[in-house]
Amino acid sequence: MVDVNLSYQGNDKMTNRAKNSTLKAVLEVILYDNPATQDEIADKLGLTRRYVTKLLQPMIKEGVVRRAYILDLKKFDEFSEMFDEEKTSREHAGTFLIKDMLRDMAKHICRQFDMSFEALSQYDAEMAEEALKLDYISNNMHEKIRSSVETVISINPYSEFSKTMIMGEVGYDLERIADHTCHIANFALHESDPISEEMMEILKSMYKTSRKMVNQSMESFLDERLELKDKVMDYEEKIHELQRKALNNIATQMAEDDVMDKDRSNYYLSLSHVVKAFERIGDISIEIIDTSGEFYRNIPRTTTPERFRRMNL
């Protein structure tokens, strides 16, 4: 095994990546679980005590990790480059670890979104159930981020309070996106009437557009890509145009429907909720983009929700 130090030994990037991933896991245990011994760390992660010792030895030597066992977040800043990841201008040690959690959560939420829409387009109730099960994981990931933000704020006197709190807000935004994907999966699970071909094409466009908005808003926040805002705002105009088209389509179908019983009315109501879900996912993406501006450039966000801002245009 290769010792951890600031200059990588060897050229095997895959080995370094795996090693650093393990080290991150060790640091998270120290930060959040307050272990008393290296044996506790090893047992928690299923590692040997000897390997944990090798990983921590240089960090203990430099005072980044203090016995037993505390992570000095200020000194960790000096070592974070070992993870071979570019730090953004407003990133410090406390948010460095939380940012990884947000990145993982964003990937998971996108998987949940993809599966929900696939279930809708394929009329696959079994897939819809699987997508809804993913929401439990989404909720757990949000809870971990929320508690991690609280932990960092409580133990790190060097952190910028507002910056760390913003991390929690983005986690909450991702959890809200996951909730809206559940409306899509629930339609596939509970509605048996087929969606018209014309309507399905509109929904596909809404899905592709809102999915891009989620990806690019999170890329903006995680990687300081603030230039993506203009592109996301263009997608926002498209999603609202598609929303109007979809609701007009539903209204036309309702007017032409010869049988308008309770079940049929519920079908149109549920379909409207699906359309609204795509629109709200887009709105939340805009909120994340605005959050990026505040996080990196101290650009104040408006206190008016995005959907009300549109009403005043």
Side-chain angles (χ1 to χ4, degrees), residues 61 70 73 80 107 112 293:
K61 182 178 179 181
I70 299 171
L73 293 174
S80 56
K107 290 178 182 177
Q112 183 177 336

Side-chain angles (χ1 to χ4, degrees), residues 125-183:
E126 184 175 340
M127 186 181 296
E129 288 182 344
E130 290 302 312
L132 291 171
K133 289 178 183 177
L134 291 180
D135 196 52
Y136 292 105
I137 300 174
S138 301
N139 292 336
N140 288 337
M141 295 177 93
H142 170 237
E143 180 59 27
K144 182 179 180 181
I145 290 169
R146 186 195 64 77
S147 62
S148 298
V149 167
E150 291 180 355
T151 299
V152 167
I153 289 173
S154 67
I155 70 173
N156 183 16
Y158 306 102
S159 69
E160 298 179 66
F161 179 85
S162 62
K163 302 295 183 186
T164 307
M165 287 296 293
I166 285 175
M167 289 286 192
E169 292 179 31
V170 175
Y172 175 62
D173 286 338
L174 288 173
E175 196 266 341
R176 290 162 62 205
I177 289 174
D179 286 345
H180 287 297
T181 70
C182 290
H183 290 301

Side-chain angles (χ1 to χ4, degrees), residues 1-124:
M1 296 179 184
V2 182
D3 288 345
V4 176
N5 51 53
L6 290 179
S7 59
Y8 293 136
Q9 299 176 14
N11 297 317
D12 191 343
K13 291 186 177 180
M14 291 299 293
T15 300
N16 284 332
R17 189 175 296 114
K19 175 186 60 184
N20 290 335
S21 177
T22 303
L23 178 56
K24 283 184 181 180
V26 170
L27 295 177
E28 284 189 21
V29 171
I30 293 172
L31 184 59
Y32 304 122
D33 294 346
N34 300 315
T37 66
Q38 290 188 8
D39 286 326
E40 287 186 34
I41 300 171
D43 290 343
K44 180 82 173 179
L45 297 175
L47 303 172
T48 65
R49 185 185 185 283
R50 183 178 179 182
Y51 188 40
V52 171
T53 299
K54 278 198 168 188
L55 289 174
L56 290 180
Q57 191 173 31
M59 306 196 85
I60 292 173
K61 182 178 179 181
E62 297 296 332
V64 177
V65 174
R66 303 197 303 271
R67 301 178 186 274
Y69 276 94
I70 299 171
L71 181 61
D72 187 322
L73 293 174
K74 187 178 182 182
K75 286 191 176 182
F76 178 68
D77 272 335
E78 302 168 10
F79 274 72
S80 56
E81 65 187 73
M82 73 168 61
F83 295 112
D84 198 25
E85 296 176 12
E86 183 179 351
K87 289 179 64 177
T88 57
S89 63
R90 294 291 179 177
E91 191 169 344
H92 55 83
T95 59
F96 183 83
L97 296 174
I98 298 173
K99 184 173 281 190
D100 265 1
M101 299 179 198
L102 285 172
R103 198 179 300 275
D104 290 342
M105 185 175 182
K107 290 178 182 177
H108 174 80
I109 297 302
C110 286
R111 179 175 173 231
Q112 183 177 336
F113 193 4
D114 293 342
M115 187 178 292
S116 296
F117 184 74
E118 183 70 14
L120 176 74
S121 60
Q122 299 298 325
Y123 305 101
D124 191 328

Side-chain angles (χ1 to χ4, degrees), residues 240-272:
H240 292 134
E241 179 184 341
L242 289 167
Q243 181 190 25
R244 288 189 292 270
K245 191 174 180 179
L247 294 177
N248 287 337
N249 186 283
I250 292 174
T252 300
Q253 288 187 50
M254 292 178 67
E256 296 175 350
D257 203 327
D258 294 330
V259 180
M260 188 57 70
D261 56 15
K262 182 179 179 181
D263 288 341
R264 196 63 179 162
S265 295
N266 287 337
Y267 165 84
Y268 288 121
L269 181 61
S270 296
L271 188 55
S272 298

Side-chain angles (χ1 to χ4, degrees), residues 109 169-181 183 210 213-218 221 232 236 239-240 276-292 301 305-307 309-310:
I109 297 302
E169 292 179 31
V170 175
Y172 175 62
D173 286 338
L174 288 173
E175 196 266 341
R176 290 162 62 205
I177 289 174
D179 286 345
H180 287 297
T181 70
H183 290 301
S210 56
M213 293 179 76
V214 174
N215 278 349
Q216 294 185 12
S217 65
M218 286 306 298
F221 184 80
V232 175
E236 182 202 24
I239 202 79
H240 292 134
K276 185 66 176 177
F278 289 122
E279 185 261 349
R280 288 298 297 128
I281 290 171
D283 283 352
I284 295 169
S285 298
I286 295 296
E287 292 176 22
I288 294 173
I289 280 283
D290 288 344
T291 297
S292 300
R301 286 172 287 168
E306 201 281 333
R307 61 185 180 277
R309 279 182 264 162
R310 294 198 312 272

